[in-house]
Amino acid sequence: MSEAVDLDVMIGGPQGGGIESSGQMMLRVFMLKGYNVFGIREYHSDIIGAHSYYNVRVKASRPRSVRLPADALLALDAEAIFTHYNELKEGSYLIYDVDSLQTRIEKIAPMEPEVKERVIEDLKSKGVEPIASELVKYLSKNGIKAIGLPLKDLLKQTADRLKTTVVSVSKSVNTMTITALATVLGIDLNAVERSINLYFSGRKSIIDSNVEAARVTYEYVRSNFGVSKELPDGPHRGKVRMIATGNDIVAMAKIVGGVGLETYYPITPSQDEAFYMESHRVFDLDEESSKALGTSKMNSLTLQAEDELAALNMAIGGAIAGARVATTTSGPGLSLMNEAISFAVMAEVPVVISDWMRTGPSTGIATRQGQQDLLHAIFAGHGEAWPKIVIASGDHLEAYYDTIKALNWAEQFQVPVIHLLDKYMAASMMSFDREDVDPYKVPLTRGNYVSNPGPDYRRYEITEDGISPRAPLGSARFVVSSLEHNEYGIVTEDPATREKMMLKRIKKMEAIERGIPDSEKAVLHGDPDAKITIVSWGSTKGPILDAMERLRADGLRVRFLQIKTFLPFPTEVVRGIISSSDDVIAVENNAFGQMVMAVRMFTGLDIKKRVAKLNSRSLMEQEVYNGVKKALGMKEGLVVVSDGS
């Protein structure tokens, strides 16, 4: 039955060796077979050479995370075998190049010395010589199905059939390993060929070489290894579906949400969002929107600035001129934006800042996972730079709708909105249906926006809720400054006026508290009456929800409180749920428990048990499951989970 299918596949090889393209083709193969997929790339910050890998999860229902041990490893070099041999389960597949068997671990130059030392010590304890052939023999004796591919011979056959050189088809080795796994799983060759055509659409020579390589490999594996098991068709077979990374889907949301100007400075892992918008800067509108706007096409300008501070200042300028604006960055860039965030608060400028968090502090590990910018976002800016909004999304689809809501809230309340995302979401892909990203589900609103404000326009007019009428620059004369000002924007240090403006901004924060419903601030998942509560935020959502299924199977009644907004904070909701729990466990991808600190600050309650991942790799299902189980046996303390190579 397809409902019972739940596979985890890893592809490992050198950075710059096509690991991402391999992972994305693999995802498409399983989608064409009718399954839901979730995949995430773990990549080294070196551009070329160092080890990277891709995890793929395949299920009939929607997977929300990856897990270990894996059901298959596609090792594109010997380093992948040495790196991941402990992450394979009994009965899994190891697909490798036979020419890599004579590689000794000491000869693998890109492999980090600490990793070599750790692996050599472990192999020594197992009585295995640190050479790939001996490790493969050991794995085979322990229930791993080893499938060696003579890649050089297969490349030569491919080149001969195409009447070309081996060099011209050499990059198709990744496709060969994917085809080998598909073959032993009984997946029709047509699914592999269609995946190749979809991924390399319009690039005929690349498609031809990869398709022929797939055919050669299919024949070889069928003849020499056969089919181990027939993977049944999944429930979505024959359906047209979508697949996107977190970067892609947030960019889609910004386009749908009416962003006229997106600014950025290239920084990992945020830049792919901007690159997506750059490639879709002019897009077609549907009939209804065309009639409403009087045009069939819409322009969205994506602009690269000289640094992150300039990027935010450019966005602020666009917003003052009347455009709906956003910028995208990561932690180091958010640091540089602090001065401009304060300016946006003082000048009451609506702007959305997408912060794709990564490992820090400083440059940290630039391409790895972390949830370390939470307190930074809450306290971003100086001199009481509130009001502003801080929201954290839990998955791709949530991020899509949260982005549109953030754009609305920014203009409704005339504040900066910091949208917390991360590398986990940026580098992961998931399958979904077109109707999952409904462009009409969140209506666009611009708040108190006036096109023709009249002769006595006061940009900072004191109102009951603190929100003034906002007109675009040029429709009226007004002053915008970083300094304290009166209702017209004119600079003043008058104490009475300063007090009025401070109270105005306090009223605005109160309006935000009232205007954003509790259902947007926090979400309770699972059994609402359970007495065991997991509390978390952001992209830990997927691994937690997947782990909860296993915890329920163990007879544990568990619920998950997902905090979504930290400004405004859902104080009463969080206080009520924590107070009604017998056991509360926080799960975060940071060392100091930043969410726990925020909970303590806003509710006065302290969460005594924490599960944290500190090794800069993405959180996985089994880590949450094991971490929560361990935490339940403790009175208080920290459980550190450490899976991932």
Side-chain angles (χ1 to χ4, degrees):
M1 295 290 290
S2 65
E3 289 77 12
V5 172
D6 191 352
L7 297 174
D8 288 86
V9 180
M10 298 181 70
I11 305 169
Q15 178 79 348
I19 303 302
E20 182 168 14
S21 59
S22 301
Q24 292 199 23
M25 280 196 289
M26 176 67 78
L27 290 165
R28 287 166 171 81
V29 168
F30 284 111
M31 282 184 71
L32 290 164
K33 188 66 175 170
Y35 289 94
N36 280 295
V37 294
F38 182 91
I40 184 164
R41 178 186 172 210
E42 290 287 356
Y43 57 106
H44 205 279
S45 54
D46 286 354
I47 295 173
I48 294 239
H51 182 70
S52 294
Y53 56 98
Y54 208 107
N55 290 78
V56 173
R57 182 88 176 266
V58 182
K59 290 180 73 175
S61 58
R62 179 172 287 158
R64 294 160 291 208
S65 63
V66 295
R67 62 179 179 173
L68 290 175
D71 297 284
L73 169 62
L74 281 54
L76 299 177
D77 59 9
E79 185 175 357
I81 303 173
F82 284 115
T83 302
H84 301 292
Y85 69 94
N86 269 334
E87 297 174 343
L88 288 169
K89 66 175 66 166
E90 186 177 347
S92 63
Y93 300 95
L94 169 62
I95 297 172
Y96 63 95
D97 180 5
V98 294
D99 285 336
S100 68
L101 289 177
Q102 299 313 308
T103 305
R104 297 189 67 88
I105 193 170
E106 298 93 334
K107 300 295 184 182
I108 302 175
M111 199 170 192
E112 292 179 295
E114 300 91 341
V115 178
K116 282 185 187 177
E117 184 179 338
R118 194 161 56 244
V119 171
I120 289 171
E121 193 65 32
D122 183 60
L123 293 180
K124 183 180 178 182
S125 72
K126 292 177 166 65
V128 179
E129 190 178 354
I131 181 170
S133 59
E134 294 303 308
L135 181 51
V136 171
K137 285 178 189 175
Y138 169 81
L139 293 172
S140 298
K141 287 178 184 176
N142 286 275
I144 308 300
K145 300 172 185 175
I147 298 173
L149 300 178
L151 292 179
K152 281 184 181 176
D153 292 343
L154 297 178
L155 283 172
K156 187 175 185 312
Q157 289 181 48
T158 303
D160 290 345
R161 289 189 186 185
L162 293 170
K163 295 181 172 52
T164 186
T165 63
V166 170
V167 172
S168 68
V169 298
S170 60
K171 291 187 177 179
S172 61
V173 292
N174 299 16
T175 298
M176 290 177 171
T177 61
I178 293 169
T179 306
L181 179 63
T183 305
V184 297
L185 292 178
I187 298 175
D188 192 272
L189 180 60
N190 181 56
V192 179
E193 293 184 4
R194 286 183 63 198
S195 174
I196 292 166
N197 276 276
L198 285 167
Y199 187 74
F200 294 113
S201 178
R203 300 157 75 180
K204 186 178 184 306
S205 62
I206 297 175
I207 290 171
D208 289 347
S209 62
N210 278 275
V211 167
E212 198 58 53
R215 291 171 181 172
V216 167
T217 308
Y218 182 79
E219 293 165 9
Y220 176 83
V221 175
R222 290 279 291 196
S223 299
N224 291 274
F225 298 97
V227 175
S228 295
K229 61 174 156 183
E230 291 279 354
L231 190 71
D233 286 346
H236 304 288
R237 182 70 188 263
K239 217 173 152 184
V240 176
R241 308 189 72 215
M242 298 178 70
I243 187 167
T245 67
N247 284 138
D248 295 341
I249 209 162
V250 167
M252 293 178 202
K254 286 183 177 179
I255 293 170
V256 168
V259 169
L261 172 65
E262 161 107 333
T263 62
Y264 75 103
Y265 179 79
I267 183 172
T268 305
S270 73
Q271 69 263 10
D272 286 344
E273 178 210 308
F275 295 162
Y276 185 99
M277 291 194 72
E278 279 182 329
S279 64
H280 296 79
R281 62 177 59 189
V282 179
F283 51 94
D284 297 324
L285 297 173
D286 59 30
E287 187 177 348
E288 183 180 340
S289 300
S290 296
K291 286 181 180 178
L293 296 173
T295 178
S296 62
K297 294 186 180 292
M298 180 70 77
N299 292 308
S300 179
L301 175 61
T302 306
L303 187 62
Q304 179 180 329
E306 62 267 31
D307 57 40
E308 288 87 352
L309 177 56
L312 182 50
N313 280 328
M314 286 178 179
I316 288 171
I320 292 169
R324 176 166 272 201
V325 302
T327 188
T328 186
T329 191
S330 185
L334 188 66
S335 297
L336 293 174
M337 290 179 175
N338 269 273
E339 184 179 353
I341 290 170
S342 294
F343 175 46
V345 171
M346 176 61 85
E348 302 189 28
V349 179
V351 58
V352 171
I353 303 165
S354 304
D355 177 22
W356 298 90
M357 297 177 288
R358 68 188 204 191
T359 302
S362 189
T363 309
I365 307 179
T367 58
R368 304 295 186 178
Q369 168 65 7
Q371 287 184 307
Q372 299 169 301
D373 293 351
L374 177 57
L375 294 179
H376 182 183
I378 293 172
F379 295 106
H382 60 276
E384 294 188 314
W386 290 4
K388 61 176 177 283
I389 296 171
V390 177
I391 181 172
S393 295
D395 57 39
H396 293 57
L397 298 180
E398 205 168 84
Y400 175 82
Y401 292 109
D402 286 348
T403 298
I404 303 171
K405 291 170 188 173
L407 291 164
N408 282 345
W409 292 340
E411 295 202 320
Q412 180 182 350
F413 301 110
Q414 299 174 25
V415 294
V417 178
I418 300 176
H419 187 189
L420 294 175
L421 304 142
D422 57 27
K423 181 264 173 185
Y424 180 95
M425 214 177 296
S428 60
M429 297 193 84
M430 66 169 285
S431 56
F432 53 95
D433 295 310
R434 183 169 182 173
E435 51 268 29
D436 289 331
V437 285
D438 182 355
Y440 302 106
K441 187 173 180 178
V442 181
L444 304 189
T445 59
R446 303 210 69 184
N448 193 1
Y449 183 86
V450 289
S451 300
N452 299 296
D456 188 36
Y457 174 60
R458 287 171 286 172
R459 170 63 189 95
Y460 302 104
E461 180 181 347
I462 294 173
T463 62
E464 188 64 33
D465 59 5
I467 301 167
S468 309
R470 182 172 69 94
L473 196 65
S475 64
R477 293 181 63 185
F478 59 93
V479 178
V480 178
S481 168
S482 64
L483 296 166
E484 190 58 276
H485 46 258
N486 64 17
E487 290 182 281
Y488 293 94
I490 297 169
V491 174
T492 179
E493 294 187 13
D494 171 52
T497 303
R498 163 66 176 181
E499 182 179 289
K500 288 177 183 177
M501 285 297 165
M502 286 295 290
L503 291 171
K504 176 187 190 299
R505 290 191 283 273
I506 290 172
K507 283 183 181 178
K508 192 193 286 193
M509 198 70 218
E510 292 169 352
I512 294 170
E513 292 266 7
R514 294 190 304 270
I516 298 177
D518 285 345
S519 59
E520 298 285 358
K521 297 174 187 172
V523 180
L524 188 63
H525 304 271
D527 184 348
D529 298 318
K531 294 302 180 181
I532 300 172
T533 303
I534 299 170
V535 186
S536 193
W537 62 284
S539 67
T540 58
K541 174 186 175 183
I544 289 171
L545 291 176
D546 284 342
M548 283 172 63
E549 294 179 9
R550 294 174 64 177
L551 292 167
R552 281 195 294 268
D554 288 349
L556 291 170
R557 295 178 64 193
V558 183
R559 60 186 180 179
F560 163 38
L561 174 61
Q562 178 194 0
I563 300 176
K564 290 206 59 189
T565 65
F566 287 86
L567 285 179
F569 193 84
T571 301
E572 295 308 318
V573 173
V574 173
R575 184 183 285 139
I577 291 171
I578 290 178
S579 299
S580 64
S581 302
D582 294 336
D583 233 321
V584 182
I585 301 164
V587 178
E588 296 188 72
N589 261 160
N590 58 61
F592 293 99
Q594 295 187 28
M595 177 200 68
V596 173
M597 293 182 189
V599 168
R600 188 186 307 131
M601 178 173 67
F602 286 109
T603 70
L605 301 176
D606 196 13
I607 301 174
K608 300 290 188 181
K609 299 181 182 181
R610 294 198 292 126
V611 176
K613 188 162 189 178
L614 311 178
N615 68 359
S616 80
R617 301 311 191 257
S618 299
L619 189 66
M620 298 186 231
E621 174 194 302
Q622 81 281 352
E623 293 180 298
V624 177
Y625 172 79
N626 293 327
V628 168
K629 293 267 279 193
K630 188 172 181 180
L632 286 170
M634 301 163 47
K635 286 187 177 180
E636 61 180 74
L638 171 66
V639 177
V640 177
V641 293
S642 309
D643 290 348
S645 299

